[in-house]
Amino acid sequence: MASKFPDQTRRHVLMLAGSSLVLTLSGCRSIDFLSPHDGSSRAETDAALPMVNRIRAEQGLVDLERNRAAEKAAIAQAERMARAGEMKHLIGFNDSFLERMKGHDVPLPAAENIAAGQDSVGRAVQSWIDSRRHLDNMLGNFRGLGVAVAWDSASANRPYWAMILSA
């Protein structure tokens, strides 16, 4: 299915009217694939935290901590993408990043990085580090982190990754 946005890697910034709250969404693509999987999902926050905190420390920033609400939101987004078979922040009519975050009790402001196809959490995090837009999210003024992966067993068992950064 063709996207209405020709460049899926472009940054989407949502600004709420009358508020200084900015929610940043970024996406990236990769061509690495896992071997067949059972269509499940799992949290990868504990594996991602040291990698993200290393780059934050290099910039003199405080470490992020695992945030259960952000992790649940990341699992839900990874599963949504896997079910849809598409790497997209917004899936379906009337989808809202802000409402998804509120629905998972994610402390705001929040940001989301997504990816698809990487065969490990290390490769997913590295793809975000290698992308200036994603790196900016990871170096933002956040305190919490949640990372997850889900596999689309109906479509070549492709992994879909989501990272939620939260206040």
Side-chain angles (χ1 to χ4, degrees), residues 133-154:
R133 293 173 184 160
H134 296 92
L135 181 60
D136 287 346
N137 283 347
M138 291 187 290
L139 298 177
N141 189 21
F142 299 107
R143 292 181 290 195
L145 181 72
V147 177
V149 62
W151 290 266
D152 176 8
S153 62

Side-chain angles (χ1 to χ4, degrees), residues 107-122:
L108 300 174
E112 178 178 80
N113 288 347
I114 59 174
Q118 294 82 355
D119 63 0
S120 69
V121 66

Side-chain angles (χ1 to χ4, degrees), residues 1 4 13 17-18 24 32 35 37 55 59 65 68 78 84 86 91 93 96 108 117 129 140 143 145 151 156 159:
M1 180 169 132
K4 65 181 179 179
V13 177
T24 306
D32 294 329
S35 57
H37 205 272
I55 63 161
Q59 299 299 313
E65 295 180 2
R68 297 281 183 191
E86 293 184 281
I91 300 170
F93 186 70
S96 165
L108 300 174
I129 291 170
R143 292 181 290 195
L145 181 72
W151 290 266

Side-chain angles (χ1 to χ4, degrees), residues 30-135:
S30 175
I31 56 171
D32 294 329
F33 290 93
L34 288 172
S35 57
H37 205 272
D38 64 1
S40 64
S41 63
R42 70 172 180 247
E44 289 285 354
T45 307
D46 290 339
L49 263 171
M51 293 177 265
V52 175
N53 284 336
R54 177 184 49 82
I55 63 161
R56 288 179 63 86
E58 290 170 0
Q59 299 299 313
L61 301 171
V62 298
D63 283 355
L64 298 177
E65 295 180 2
R66 181 184 198 179
N67 180 285
R68 297 281 183 191
E71 188 171 81
K72 287 179 183 178
I75 290 169
Q77 178 62 13
E79 288 175 347
R80 285 164 28 98
M81 292 188 299
R83 276 192 307 273
E86 293 184 281
M87 185 189 74
K88 293 173 70 175
H89 292 283
L90 303 177
I91 300 170
F93 186 70
N94 285 335
D95 193 7
S96 165
F97 176 74
L98 178 61
E99 293 305 315
R100 282 193 289 117
M101 295 306 104
K102 285 181 177 179
H104 288 286
D105 296 320
V106 173
L108 300 174
E112 178 178 80
N113 288 347
I114 59 174
Q118 294 82 355
D119 63 0
S120 69
V121 66
R123 287 186 186 202
V125 171
Q126 189 61 50
S127 72
W128 292 321
I129 291 170
D130 293 341
S131 164
R132 186 70 218 175
R133 293 173 184 160
H134 296 92
L135 181 60

